Amino acid sequence: MIFLLAVVGILGVSASGPIMAATMAPALTIALWRNVFGALVLGTPVLLKSPRFLASLTRVEIKYTAIAATALALHFACFVTSVKLTSVAAATALVCLQAAWIALFQWLRGSKPARPVLLGLGTALLGVVVITGFDMGVSREALVGDLLAVVGGVLAAIYTLAGSKARKTLSTGVYTSLCYGLCSLILLVMCLIFRQPLLNFPPEAWWGIVGVTVAAQLFGHTIFNYLLATISPLVVSMMILVEIPGAALLAGFFLGQQLPPGTYAGLALILAGLAVVVLRQGRSGLKK
C-alpha cells in the first residue's frame, strides 16, 4: 500500500509542470486557482470541525504562517511562469534546488555542513550553470525561465523553513488550509495589480487548473504528508527527487519537449548533488 501511494504521489508532483505548461491561462491565474481549490478542499473539514480555530492562533503561529504563505505565493508565481518560458525539465530541476538552499540557509545560521554536503551543493550548482548555459543559447526567454525557477527554489526553501516553525504547534489541517488561504489572497492581489484575467479563459484551461490541483496539490503533496507518518522524512525527500526525471519524461512524451544533450547532463548533476545533500542531511541531523 505504501509503495502504491508513493508511486501516485511521485506521478502527481511530476505531472504538475507539464500540466501547467500546457494550460492556456496566465501563470498567476493558474497559481491563484490552484491554491483556492486546495484551500477549499482541505480547509472545509477544518472549518466544520473547529469554526473558531482562528481565535486560538498565537502571534508566533500567525507570523510564521504569514511568512510561509507569502513565500509560497511568490514561489508559485515564479515556478508557473518558468514552466511557460523554459523547458519543464529544466524548471523542475532548478526549483527542486530548495533542498540545497535549505542546507545553505542552515549553514548561515551556524549549522556547519559536512564535506559531502558541500560536495553535493557544488555539484547541484554546477548543474544549474550547465542548464542555464545551454538555455542561454536557446533563447532569452528560456534563460529568464531558468532564473525564475532558481528564485522559485529559494522561495520554496523559505516556505519550508517557516512552515516547519508554524507546524510545531499547528495541526496539518489547520496550517495547510490557513497557509493556502493566505497564499490565495496574496495571489489575488497580484492578479489584480498585473491585470490578469480571473475567469475569462477557455474551458480547457479550467480542466488544466483542476488537473494540477488534484495531481500536485491534493494527491502529490497530501500523500507525501501522509507518508511522513509511516516512513522517514529522508525516504520521502528521496522520493520527491524522482520528480526531476519524472517531469522530464512526461514533458517529452505529452508535450514533445526535446532538450539539448547538455541539458540532460545538467539535470543529472542536479539530481546527483541533491541526492547527496538529502542523504547527508538525514545522517548528520543538519536538517532541523
Side-chain angles (χ1 to χ4, degrees):
M1 185 63 178
I2 290 178
F3 177 77
L4 179 61
L5 286 174
V7 171
V8 173
I10 291 169
L11 287 175
V13 294
S14 298
S16 65
I19 292 174
M20 291 188 294
T23 300
M24 300 302 293
L28 286 176
T29 307
I30 296 173
L32 168 65
W33 287 112
R34 170 180 175 171
N35 280 274
V36 168
F37 292 151
L40 288 174
V41 172
L42 298 174
T44 300
V46 174
L47 193 59
L48 291 175
K49 183 179 179 180
S50 306
R52 302 184 63 183
F53 75 92
L54 290 176
S56 63
L57 295 174
T58 67
R59 183 174 297 181
V60 173
E61 291 170 343
I62 294 172
K63 171 188 172 182
Y64 284 111
T65 302
I67 293 173
T70 303
L72 183 62
L74 296 175
H75 158 76
F76 277 129
C78 290
F79 179 54
V80 181
T81 303
S82 72
V83 297
K84 291 181 174 294
L85 296 177
T86 188
S87 66
V88 170
T92 302
L94 295 172
V95 85
C96 279
L97 283 168
Q98 60 178 291
W101 297 126
I102 289 174
L104 285 173
F105 290 156
Q106 291 176 333
W107 186 9
L108 294 174
R109 290 166 55 192
S111 298
K112 185 178 179 180
R115 285 188 179 181
V117 173
L118 293 177
L119 178 61
L121 292 174
T123 302
L125 293 177
L126 178 60
V128 175
V129 174
V130 171
I131 289 177
T132 54
F134 276 92
D135 279 354
M136 189 180 299
V138 173
S139 70
R140 182 180 178 182
E141 271 194 354
L143 179 60
V144 172
D146 290 346
L147 296 176
L148 284 173
V150 171
V151 174
V154 175
L155 291 164
I158 296 172
Y159 158 69
T160 301
L161 291 171
S164 67
K165 295 283 189 181
R167 282 282 288 113
K168 287 182 177 180
T169 52
L170 291 177
S171 68
T172 302
V174 171
Y175 168 71
T176 303
S177 56
L178 184 59
C179 185
Y180 285 175
L182 289 174
C183 181
S184 299
L185 291 176
I186 295 169
L187 286 167
L188 175 60
V189 172
M190 294 174 68
C191 285
L192 294 176
I193 291 175
F194 292 101
R195 298 183 179 180
Q196 299 297 298
L198 299 179
L199 301 169
N200 188 23
F201 36 84
E204 294 82 4
W206 283 108
W207 285 113
I209 293 172
V210 171
V212 75
T213 302
V214 173
Q217 205 89 356
L218 300 180
F219 276 141
H221 295 290
T222 301
I223 285 176
F224 285 131
N225 285 333
Y226 169 78
L227 290 176
L228 281 173
T230 57
I231 57 180
S232 72
L234 175 60
V235 175
V236 173
S237 298
M238 292 302 294
M239 287 178 182
I240 294 174
L241 291 185
V242 183
E243 178 185 357
I244 297 175
L249 291 172
L250 290 175
F253 185 79
F254 289 104
L255 303 180
Q257 290 189 354
Q258 300 299 321
L259 305 176
T263 301
Y264 288 106
L267 294 177
L269 287 170
I270 289 177
L271 188 58
L274 290 180
V276 172
V277 170
V278 171
L279 284 170
R280 290 300 302 185
Q281 278 183 313
R283 292 176 184 171
S284 65
L286 180 63
K287 190 175 182 180
K288 298 178 180 178

